[in-house]
Amino acid sequence: MTFNHKHIIGIKDLTAEELTFILDTSISFKEINRRDIKKVPTLRGKTIINLFFEASTRTRTSFEIAGKRLSADTINISASGSSVVKGETLEDTAKNIQAMNPDAIVMRHHASGASDYLAKRLDCAVINAGDGMHEHPSQALLDAFTIREHKGKIEGLTVAIIGDITHSRVVRSNIYCLTKLGAKVRVAGPGTMLPPGIDKLGCEAYTNIDDAIKGSDVVMMLRIQRERQGAPLIPSVREYSRFFGLTHQRLKLAKENVIVMHPGPINRGVELPTSIADGPQNVILDQVENGVAVRMALLYLACGGEKLQD
């Protein structure tokens, strides 16, 4: 099939067929990442700008590596290194960058809808690397890729996502992605971190994580996102860990071949202990590796790359 989207703003905008196409395209790029020479000329001559207004380790580095392995010229700009600190608006910053004729802007921003706002005003492709509490499409795609890689399929699986549901853009993108691909999604967390009506997105909501984990094929843990919270939403971290942290006892409620995921960064001893984070069920570092392949696929599709060359 042909990928007809100029911008990649959210999973909500994509069909199941398009999601599968992206995942299938990512397979070829993962093979490249395991070669001795991890570079192809696919996007040679293209310019990609990573514009990050929020702190990031995995996503920013992953997009940078992805661009460079495709031979694109990749430039990183952070909020502290941009004219935003001098009072320049987001739109003016982006339009000045566009005047230099990049082929794509990969942007992370603290405001929900920021990527869509730019996409409607710029000529180059815009890829959302996370906007506020809205969406994080590349994370959901790498999660889906990892699940399919380990389970051989996504359709028919039960995925439990546990933690700060209200403030997580990863949750929203994963609900859209996994349900479109045929999985059943359960979300669970404290009532103060579980938005009313979340089930309308197509998932099941629980305040008891044991109920969510029971019979699950995949358990995805999320951190408490204090940077997006106002007043404290839990009595204490210790109490949160007691009632909403993943333990070996709780993990026994899931299917025997369950895999444990986390989008990172992990708060060890809070949402899960080191014995699980580094245990045999965890596929967390696989998610990181697969993130490069998936983001290579997204850049390739957004920049209209030629046929993949060896």
Tab-separated table of all heavy atoms in Angstrom, residues 228-251:
chain	number	residue	atom	x	y	z
A	228	ARG	N	3.419	16.812	35.238
A	228	ARG	CA	2.174	17.236	34.609
A	228	ARG	C	1.030	17.348	35.615
A	228	ARG	O	-0.096	17.638	35.239
A	228	ARG	CB	1.779	16.260	33.489
A	228	ARG	CG	2.778	16.229	32.354
A	228	ARG	CD	2.211	15.574	31.109
A	228	ARG	NE	3.238	15.550	30.082
A	228	ARG	CZ	4.000	14.498	29.801
A	228	ARG	NH1	3.814	13.373	30.450
A	228	ARG	NH2	4.921	14.557	28.869
A	229	GLN	N	1.335	17.099	36.873
A	229	GLN	CA	0.303	17.158	37.907
A	229	GLN	C	0.347	18.505	38.611
A	229	GLN	O	1.383	19.152	38.673
A	229	GLN	CB	0.511	16.047	38.944
A	229	GLN	CG	0.393	14.646	38.362
A	229	GLN	CD	0.681	13.573	39.409
A	229	GLN	OE1	0.834	13.871	40.586
A	229	GLN	NE2	0.758	12.330	38.964
A	230	GLY	N	-0.795	18.899	39.135
A	230	GLY	CA	-0.855	20.100	39.954
A	230	GLY	C	-0.688	19.693	41.406
A	230	GLY	O	0.413	19.444	41.882
A	231	ALA	N	-1.797	19.601	42.123
A	231	ALA	CA	-1.767	19.139	43.505
A	231	ALA	C	-1.443	17.646	43.540
A	231	ALA	O	-1.732	16.918	42.588
A	231	ALA	CB	-3.117	19.401	44.168
A	232	PRO	N	-0.820	17.174	44.622
A	232	PRO	CA	-0.519	15.741	44.743
A	232	PRO	C	-1.794	14.900	44.613
A	232	PRO	O	-2.826	15.224	45.185
A	232	PRO	CB	0.074	15.638	46.152
A	232	PRO	CG	0.608	16.998	46.444
A	232	PRO	CD	-0.333	17.951	45.773
A	233	LEU	N	-1.705	13.811	43.855
A	233	LEU	CA	-2.874	12.966	43.593
A	233	LEU	C	-2.833	11.649	44.355
A	233	LEU	O	-3.761	10.853	44.261
A	233	LEU	CB	-2.983	12.690	42.083
A	233	LEU	CG	-3.161	13.927	41.198
A	233	LEU	CD1	-3.177	13.527	39.733
A	233	LEU	CD2	-4.429	14.676	41.561
A	234	ILE	N	-1.756	11.436	45.120
A	234	ILE	CA	-1.638	10.229	45.928
A	234	ILE	C	-1.107	10.611	47.310
A	234	ILE	O	-0.370	11.599	47.434
A	234	ILE	CB	-0.693	9.188	45.284
A	234	ILE	CG1	0.675	9.830	44.967
A	234	ILE	CG2	-1.309	8.587	44.031
A	234	ILE	CD1	1.715	8.856	44.475
A	235	PRO	N	-1.470	9.859	48.353
A	235	PRO	CA	-0.997	10.184	49.696
A	235	PRO	C	0.526	10.139	49.815
A	235	PRO	O	1.142	10.997	50.435
A	235	PRO	CB	-1.659	9.122	50.575
A	235	PRO	CG	-2.841	8.659	49.785
A	235	PRO	CD	-2.421	8.747	48.359
A	236	SER	N	1.141	9.115	49.217
A	236	SER	CA	2.599	8.970	49.266
A	236	SER	C	3.036	7.980	48.198
A	236	SER	O	2.244	7.159	47.728
A	236	SER	CB	3.055	8.478	50.643
A	236	SER	OG	2.638	7.135	50.848
A	237	VAL	N	4.303	8.065	47.833
A	237	VAL	CA	4.860	7.140	46.849
A	237	VAL	C	4.848	5.712	47.408
A	237	VAL	O	4.580	4.755	46.678
A	237	VAL	CB	6.295	7.557	46.464
A	237	VAL	CG1	6.957	6.474	45.604
A	237	VAL	CG2	6.266	8.875	45.697
A	238	ARG	N	5.119	5.586	48.705
A	238	ARG	CA	5.128	4.260	49.321
A	238	ARG	C	3.750	3.609	49.228
A	238	ARG	O	3.637	2.416	48.905
A	238	ARG	CB	5.553	4.368	50.787
A	238	ARG	CG	5.543	3.023	51.513
A	238	ARG	CD	5.981	3.168	52.956
A	238	ARG	NE	7.388	3.524	53.041
A	238	ARG	CZ	8.043	3.657	54.205
A	238	ARG	NH1	7.405	3.485	55.348
A	238	ARG	NH2	9.320	3.966	54.207
A	239	GLU	N	2.715	4.386	49.507
A	239	GLU	CA	1.363	3.831	49.433
A	239	GLU	C	0.988	3.496	47.995
A	239	GLU	O	0.357	2.472	47.722
A	239	GLU	CB	0.352	4.823	50.022
A	239	GLU	CG	-1.069	4.254	50.089
A	239	GLU	CD	-1.992	5.106	50.934
A	239	GLU	OE1	-1.530	5.638	51.956
A	239	GLU	OE2	-3.169	5.237	50.556
A	240	TYR	N	1.390	4.369	47.049
A	240	TYR	CA	1.127	4.086	45.634
A	240	TYR	C	1.777	2.762	45.231
A	240	TYR	O	1.165	1.915	44.578
A	240	TYR	CB	1.664	5.218	44.753
A	240	TYR	CG	1.522	4.942	43.280
A	240	TYR	CD1	0.360	5.272	42.596
A	240	TYR	CD2	2.548	4.313	42.559
A	240	TYR	CE1	0.214	4.994	41.242
A	240	TYR	CE2	2.418	4.036	41.218
A	240	TYR	CZ	1.246	4.378	40.560
A	240	TYR	OH	1.117	4.090	39.217
A	241	SER	N	3.037	2.575	45.621
A	241	SER	CA	3.759	1.366	45.264
A	241	SER	C	3.091	0.132	45.854
A	241	SER	O	3.027	-0.924	45.209
A	241	SER	CB	5.210	1.460	45.752
A	241	SER	OG	5.926	0.303	45.398
A	242	ARG	N	2.559	0.268	47.049
A	242	ARG	CA	1.912	-0.871	47.713
A	242	ARG	C	0.665	-1.318	46.968
A	242	ARG	O	0.433	-2.515	46.782
A	242	ARG	CB	1.567	-0.488	49.152
A	242	ARG	CG	0.817	-1.576	49.916
A	242	ARG	CD	0.411	-1.085	51.292
A	242	ARG	NE	-0.435	-2.066	51.977
A	242	ARG	CZ	-1.072	-1.825	53.114
A	242	ARG	NH1	-0.955	-0.647	53.705
A	242	ARG	NH2	-1.820	-2.763	53.660
A	243	PHE	N	-0.155	-0.357	46.526
A	243	PHE	CA	-1.441	-0.695	45.921
A	243	PHE	C	-1.407	-0.761	44.386
A	243	PHE	O	-2.236	-1.434	43.779
A	243	PHE	CB	-2.514	0.307	46.363
A	243	PHE	CG	-2.898	0.180	47.808
A	243	PHE	CD1	-2.409	1.063	48.757
A	243	PHE	CD2	-3.722	-0.853	48.229
A	243	PHE	CE1	-2.752	0.937	50.095
A	243	PHE	CE2	-4.078	-0.993	49.563
A	243	PHE	CZ	-3.588	-0.098	50.505
A	244	PHE	N	-0.442	-0.065	43.763
A	244	PHE	CA	-0.444	0.007	42.300
A	244	PHE	C	0.895	-0.372	41.662
A	244	PHE	O	1.063	-0.223	40.464
A	244	PHE	CB	-0.881	1.403	41.849
A	244	PHE	CG	-2.296	1.723	42.241
A	244	PHE	CD1	-2.555	2.440	43.400
A	244	PHE	CD2	-3.359	1.273	41.487
A	244	PHE	CE1	-3.860	2.712	43.788
A	244	PHE	CE2	-4.665	1.543	41.854
A	244	PHE	CZ	-4.920	2.257	43.021
A	245	GLY	N	1.821	-0.852	42.478
A	245	GLY	CA	3.082	-1.335	41.936
A	245	GLY	C	2.964	-2.792	41.516
A	245	GLY	O	2.156	-3.555	42.051
A	246	LEU	N	3.771	-3.174	40.554
A	246	LEU	CA	3.753	-4.560	40.080
A	246	LEU	C	4.662	-5.405	40.965
A	246	LEU	O	5.834	-5.084	41.151
A	246	LEU	CB	4.223	-4.627	38.626
A	246	LEU	CG	4.160	-5.998	37.947
A	246	LEU	CD1	2.724	-6.496	37.871
A	246	LEU	CD2	4.776	-5.923	36.549
A	247	THR	N	4.121	-6.471	41.506
A	247	THR	CA	4.885	-7.420	42.327
A	247	THR	C	4.889	-8.784	41.657
A	247	THR	O	4.108	-9.046	40.728
A	247	THR	CB	4.260	-7.557	43.732
A	247	THR	OG1	2.926	-8.111	43.589
A	247	THR	CG2	4.160	-6.198	44.432
A	248	HIS	N	5.747	-9.657	42.136
A	248	HIS	CA	5.790	-11.016	41.584
A	248	HIS	C	4.466	-11.735	41.836
A	248	HIS	O	4.009	-12.515	40.996
A	248	HIS	CB	6.956	-11.789	42.200
A	248	HIS	CG	8.290	-11.344	41.710
A	248	HIS	ND1	8.809	-11.727	40.491
A	248	HIS	CD2	9.207	-10.512	42.264
A	248	HIS	CE1	10.000	-11.175	40.310
A	248	HIS	NE2	10.268	-10.429	41.374
A	249	GLN	N	3.865	-11.465	42.987
A	249	GLN	CA	2.585	-12.087	43.307
A	249	GLN	C	1.514	-11.639	42.325
A	249	GLN	O	0.711	-12.448	41.849
A	249	GLN	CB	2.178	-11.724	44.743
A	249	GLN	CG	1.038	-12.569	45.308
A	249	GLN	CD	1.399	-14.046	45.447
A	249	GLN	OE1	2.557	-14.389	45.705
A	249	GLN	NE2	0.424	-14.926	45.247
A	250	ARG	N	1.483	-10.351	42.023
A	250	ARG	CA	0.494	-9.841	41.067
A	250	ARG	C	0.777	-10.360	39.658
A	250	ARG	O	-0.146	-10.648	38.896
A	250	ARG	CB	0.495	-8.307	41.073
A	250	ARG	CG	-0.170	-7.717	42.308
A	250	ARG	CD	-0.235	-6.215	42.239
A	250	ARG	NE	-1.089	-5.721	43.306
A	250	ARG	CZ	-0.785	-4.731	44.128
A	250	ARG	NH1	0.375	-4.102	43.995
A	250	ARG	NH2	-1.616	-4.351	45.068
A	251	LEU	N	2.040	-10.485	39.320
A	251	LEU	CA	2.392	-10.935	37.977
A	251	LEU	C	1.924	-12.371	37.736
A	251	LEU	O	1.663	-12.769	36.595
A	251	LEU	CB	3.902	-10.822	37.774
A	251	LEU	CG	4.423	-10.800	36.331
A	251	LEU	CD1	3.728	-9.718	35.505
A	251	LEU	CD2	5.929	-10.591	36.322
